[in-house]
Every structure is written in C-alpha cells, then in structure tokens.
Amino acid sequence: MPAASCIASVHTHGTGTLVRLCGEIDIATAPDISDYLDTLSYAGAAELLIDLRQVEFMDGSGVRLLNRARARGDGRLRVICTDPTTLRLLRHPSLRMWFDILDHLPLPVTDS
C-alpha cells in the first residue's frame, strides 16, 4: 500500500484491481497516486477500477492522473463517481475521457 493518504484501499476485484481514493486529489497528492497507479498498470491488471465516491475535492491534477492511468495500462479503466461537482469536471465538453464513468461498484468480472 502506498504512503499517499488519499488512497483508502486497494483490493482485487474479479480479474482487476479496485482502488478507493478519498480526501483531496490535487497538485500535492496527485503525483503519489499517479506513481502508484503506474505500478498497478505495469503489474498487468486486466482492469483498473478507481472509486472516487469518498473524494471530497478533485482538480485538473486528478483528471490528468486518470488519463495517465488509462494511457499507461493495457487493460480497461473505469471510474466510479457520484459527486455532482466531480462529475461536471469529468464530463466537461473540452475534455476527452476515454474511460467509463459508473455510479456504483459493478459485479466483479471473473475468468470463466
């Protein structure tokens, strides 16, 4: 588990990895989160699921780290978010978000 205080937990979720973030994701916290997500991407997680439901604030640094995580990984990136302010940021028309934004934790996908 990384030292970043805004990474609440990291768990296996089916064939992927669930990362629950909390607190504030900004210029001060984003580099540590980004480094950790890079580590998960390089480890070959089939899916990276990032839960933002406990995040109280996120700025452009958070958007950049999500896009970086998507670009670095070979698998799928999905984000769980229900906060209206953060959703407005993620859905801003000038941004190109190449990941799904969900409103709940999906059932885990398993290899059959």
Side-chain angles (χ1 to χ4, degrees), residues 8 21 32 36 41 43 55 58-59 65 69 74 78 82 95 106 109:
L21 302 181
D32 286 342
Y36 187 70
S41 296
V55 170
M58 187 169 84
D59 66 9
L65 81 84
D74 291 332
R78 295 193 289 172
T82 55
L95 299 176
V109 176

Side-chain angles (χ1 to χ4, degrees), residues 86-106:
T86 305
L87 283 169
R88 266 193 307 278
L89 176 65
L90 294 175
R91 292 182 174 147
H92 193 278
S94 68
L95 299 176
R96 299 273 192 255
M97 299 291 116
W98 301 107
F99 49 80
D100 295 327
I101 301 172
L102 310 172
D103 61 2
H104 64 280
L105 181 65

Side-chain angles (χ1 to χ4, degrees), residues 6-9 20-25 51-57 80-83:
C6 51
I7 298 177
S9 64
R20 287 193 167 106
L21 302 181
C22 63
E24 297 184 6
I25 301 174
D51 189 342
L52 301 177
R53 291 178 292 179
Q54 296 177 7
V55 170
E56 298 164 4
F57 171 81
I80 304 169
C81 181
T82 55
D83 178 69

Side-chain angles (χ1 to χ4, degrees), residues 62-72 96-99:
V63 173
R64 280 190 298 279
L65 81 84
L66 293 173
N67 275 324
R68 177 183 169 114
R70 185 211 42 87
R72 295 267 176 169
R96 299 273 192 255
M97 299 291 116
W98 301 107
F99 49 80

